[in-house]
Amino acid sequence: MVEANANENVVNRLIECINDRRIEVMDELFHHDAVMHWPQSGELVRGAENRRGIYNAFPQLPTITPRRMLSGGNLVVAEALLDYNGPRYETVFIFEFRDGRIAKETAYWSEAFEAPEWRARWVEKA
């Protein structure tokens, strides 16, 4: 339980540093050889230098609103809303840890869309 809480604290610090636009803090949270995997675009970001390059060149960092976090062992799954001051993305992050730091991040995101009317009688609006 202690390890899971410590890993969740790392993810919370990551969210805070992005929201505060202090991306240099990411170096404390990720292993130097960490991988970021974005399956929807087919991209892998390997290592600190490439991560720094992407985050320093980002046109606009999102504001992240965490929704839910689940963890066990060396794994943390976080659901969040990413708001780019216009486009908003429902997001799921899967963080894999090694020695208290992020070794791999996998992120899935999608813009919200209107539910089709034909399902309305079976669902609740969330």
Side-chain angles (χ1 to χ4, degrees):
M1 181 73 101
V2 173
E3 182 177 290
N5 288 339
N7 292 342
E8 287 181 17
N9 289 340
V10 170
V11 173
N12 283 322
R13 280 192 66 208
L14 175 61
I15 291 168
E16 288 172 14
C17 84
I18 292 172
N19 285 347
D20 293 342
R21 311 310 189 238
R22 295 186 56 233
I23 59 170
E24 68 278 1
V25 175
M26 293 173 84
D27 284 343
E28 300 170 22
L29 309 175
F30 283 83
H31 279 280
H32 183 74
D33 62 348
V35 173
M36 299 172 79
H37 182 205
W38 302 331
Q40 289 163 292
S41 62
E43 296 172 286
L44 285 174
V45 181
R46 290 190 190 277
E49 186 176 330
N50 291 326
R51 183 185 65 251
R52 279 187 221 110
I54 285 176
Y55 276 88
N56 283 320
F58 236 99
Q60 178 178 339
L61 289 171
T63 298
I64 302 172
T65 303
R67 296 248 170 99
R68 182 168 72 143
M69 200 173 305
L70 302 169
S71 62
N74 286 321
L75 189 69
V76 175
V77 177
E79 295 178 27
L81 174 68
L82 275 59
D83 187 339
Y84 288 86
N85 221 9
R88 296 164 51 113
Y89 295 88
E90 298 294 337
T91 308
V92 175
F93 295 100
I94 303 167
F95 296 98
E96 298 173 46
F97 283 79
R98 182 177 75 238
D99 303 323
R101 294 171 74 188
I102 300 167
K104 183 176 182 183
E105 172 196 301
T106 303
Y108 298 92
W109 57 87
S110 175
E111 281 190 272
F113 57 89
E114 286 296 318
E117 186 60 36
W118 65 265
R119 293 196 299 240
R121 68 180 175 151
W122 298 292
V123 301
E124 298 175 24
K125 284 287 192 179

